[in-house]
Amino acid sequence: MKYAVIDIGSNSVRLLLWADGCSISKNVITTRLGEGISFSPRLLPQAMERTVRAICEFMGTAREFGAQKIYAFATAAVRSAENGNDFIQTVYQNCGIMPEILSGKEEAEIGYLGALEGRDGGIIDVGGASSEITIGKNGKIIYAVSADVGAVRLKDVCGEDKLRLKKYIDEKIAVYGDVPVCPMTLIGGTATSLAALEYRVESYDPKVIHHSILTVEQIGVWAEKLLSMQQSERLLLKGMDKKRADILGGGALLLYEILRKIQAEKVSVSEADNTEGYLMKKLRENQNESRD
């Protein structure tokens, strides 16, 4: 059985192609759907147009792949926008699929499910407009909190002013409160992009990134370095995702401050993430329905 999952994020749209119980490939198109969302309660028309085009393109790719079932979900930018439901209707009318809008808690849960598959431990997902921490123990989620801050939102609100960034981040991540101590795994574009920089992966290779280790010190050094650079300098770095170069410094600082808050020293990076988690969630729901 072949499946496809489309993740409509605040920074990019991603496509997972899945067959015979494993991931075949992942594709990404940066559309910045969350552009300006910190200043306006509505998604911008040009951002919606870019994103709809990307979703339609991925629908075509999924059909060519032979996916018998295509799923789609949307996260922080859509759930927080006044016109989020209008955007979903536009996607349906143009692309033929009705994405599910996930709550912050649901977004946290599928990230955990995809990265850890129910094993004990925690995940941190720094996204474009929100960041989630989820922790599971004995097959049950014991902590799941979403903070209203991400790499795109930081760029909108604070630019590259480190003092403003730190103040804003500290205010937003206070929502996490006391986080249970456990081994942590990072998912999402900020984490994988930092791993690519640290390990100098010029041609992005998921096999190199998956299960790579980053220390909090390394992440802090990259945050400082990226925020002190001009965009032209960042683009020359070996391993840099050129479409993420303008937001990666703020994302790195956010990740660094989260890890300091929970007193983590090092973390693992996972290529498996919320796309796999969402598929697992839907397959479980289908199994339960077939039993009823």
Side-chain angles (χ1 to χ4, degrees):
M1 186 83 172
K2 293 183 176 180
Y3 297 92
V5 179
I6 299 173
D7 167 16
I8 305 163
S10 305
N11 184 58
S12 60
V13 180
R14 299 186 305 138
L15 171 68
L16 166 69
L17 298 179
W18 181 277
D20 301 323
C22 63
S23 172
I24 302 302
S25 67
K26 282 186 178 180
N27 300 314
V28 60
I29 300 175
T30 300
T31 66
R32 293 281 167 92
L33 179 60
E35 178 186 3
I37 197 69
S38 299
F39 306 115
S40 169
R42 300 177 64 82
L43 298 170
L44 299 178
Q46 61 268 32
M48 290 194 291
E49 289 172 11
R50 293 192 299 265
T51 305
V52 169
R53 284 198 300 271
I55 296 167
C56 288
E57 180 178 331
F58 280 162
M59 287 292 290
T61 302
R63 292 188 181 109
E64 288 175 10
F65 171 67
Q68 287 104 323
K69 190 69 177 178
I70 305 172
Y71 298 108
F73 65 92
T75 54
V78 178
R79 70 171 171 260
S80 64
E82 286 182 354
N83 59 340
N85 286 324
D86 293 338
F87 169 75
I88 294 298
Q89 288 297 324
T90 301
V91 171
Y92 178 68
Q93 291 164 8
N94 286 272
C95 308
I97 193 166
M98 182 74 78
E100 179 183 2
I101 302 175
L102 300 183
S103 68
K105 185 170 183 289
E106 289 171 329
E107 185 177 356
E109 289 171 350
I110 64 167
Y112 164 76
L113 189 59
L116 298 182
E117 298 181 4
R119 300 188 303 273
D120 287 0
I123 64 103
I124 301 172
D125 181 7
V126 170
S130 69
S131 297
E132 288 73 40
I133 299 179
T134 316
I135 296 171
K137 187 175 182 180
N138 298 326
K140 294 183 179 180
I141 290 175
I142 62 170
Y143 178 96
V145 177
S146 178
D148 190 25
V149 60
V152 175
R153 199 183 292 273
L154 285 172
K155 178 71 185 301
D156 284 348
V157 175
C158 305
E160 296 176 358
D161 185 322
K162 187 177 176 183
L163 291 178
R164 288 182 64 195
L165 283 164
K166 189 175 185 316
K167 184 175 184 294
Y168 188 81
I169 288 168
D170 287 346
E171 291 172 355
K172 292 295 184 179
I173 67 175
V175 70
Y176 291 134
D178 294 325
V179 180
V181 176
C182 69
M184 285 289 180
T185 297
L186 305 181
I187 64 172
T190 292
T192 56
S193 296
L194 288 171
L197 286 174
E198 181 63 31
Y199 291 94
R200 298 173 63 81
V201 183
E202 191 161 19
S203 180
Y204 191 84
D205 185 349
K207 293 178 182 177
V208 175
I209 301 303
H210 193 49
H211 295 319
S212 61
I213 300 296
L214 290 174
T215 66
V216 177
E217 182 181 1
Q218 287 169 335
I219 294 169
V221 168
W222 276 114
E224 187 74 35
K225 184 175 182 178
L226 291 168
L227 289 170
S228 67
M229 285 179 154
Q230 298 295 320
Q231 177 72 351
S232 58
E233 295 175 305
R234 296 186 198 111
L235 292 172
L236 296 176
L237 292 170
K238 189 170 183 178
M240 174 58 75
D241 178 350
K242 291 176 171 50
K243 293 184 179 179
R244 192 177 287 273
D246 63 325
I247 62 170
L248 189 54
L253 183 60
L254 170 56
L255 182 52
Y256 174 69
E257 294 297 340
I258 291 173
L259 292 172
R260 286 184 64 217
K261 178 178 176 59
I262 66 174
Q263 299 182 329
E265 294 182 359
K266 63 180 180 179
V267 285
S268 172
V269 179
S270 174
E271 270 287 323
D273 53 31
N274 55 7
T275 51
E276 285 91 347
Y278 190 78
L279 178 59
M280 291 170 67
K281 172 178 176 284
K282 299 306 289 186
L283 293 179
R284 288 179 181 180
E285 289 174 356
N286 293 342
Q287 287 176 350
N288 291 335
E289 287 174 2
S290 65
R291 291 194 193 105
D292 292 343

